[in-house]
Structure formats: C-alpha cells, structure tokens
C-alpha cells in the first residue's frame, strides 16, 4: 500500500525481450536505457534516428500500460 510504482530496468535485454517481460508485469513502469538505444546508430539520418527512437518509445509505452 505504500508503493507508488515499481520501475523495471531493461537489464541488458534487447527491446523486444524487455518489452515482452514488462508487459507481463502489470503496474510496472520502465527505464530502458540500453533497449531504448539499441537500434540507434551515429550514421543514421536525423529522420531515421527520430523514427527509430519514436518506435522504441512507443513499444516501451505500450508494454507499460498492459
């Protein structure tokens, strides 16, 4: 009753595995630094970078609300 939220870390999992595990834990939120950045590369265009980052954020958000 005194816990507001439990935060899950990606734990070194890739984005797919991390979001699958998160979606199985109702009420948790995520802090996925590695999984969030997994597909980002320095040689991507600004548009590619933004699109990949947005998709990763959406996947983490969707897993967080299940």
């Amino acid at each position: 009753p005194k816990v507001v939220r439990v935060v899950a870390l990606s734990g070194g999992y890739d984005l797919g595995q991390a979001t699958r595990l998160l979606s199985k834990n109702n009420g948790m939120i995520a802090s996925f630094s590695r999984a969030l950045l997994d597909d980002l590369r320095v040689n991507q265009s600004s548009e590619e970078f933004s699109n990949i980052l947005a998709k990763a954020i959406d996947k983490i958000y969707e897993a967080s609300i299940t």
Side-chain angles (χ1 to χ4, degrees):
K2 295 182 181 183
V3 175
V4 177
R5 291 279 185 178
V6 175
V7 177
L9 303 176
S10 59
Y13 292 115
D14 65 27
L15 182 61
Q17 182 67 18
T19 53
R20 277 191 293 281
L21 292 170
L22 176 62
S23 67
K24 294 179 180 182
N25 292 281
N26 195 11
M28 293 184 81
I29 57 175
S31 173
F32 286 6
S33 55
R34 180 196 177 274
L36 179 65
L37 305 175
D38 205 31
D39 292 327
L40 299 177
R41 305 287 180 264
V42 69
N43 61 344
Q44 293 168 331
S45 70
S46 181
E47 184 177 348
E48 286 176 307
F49 184 92
S50 295
N51 287 338
I52 291 169
L53 184 58
K55 286 179 185 176
I57 291 168
D58 288 344
K59 288 178 182 178
I60 294 167
Y61 171 75
E62 289 299 321
S64 294
I65 62 170
T66 57

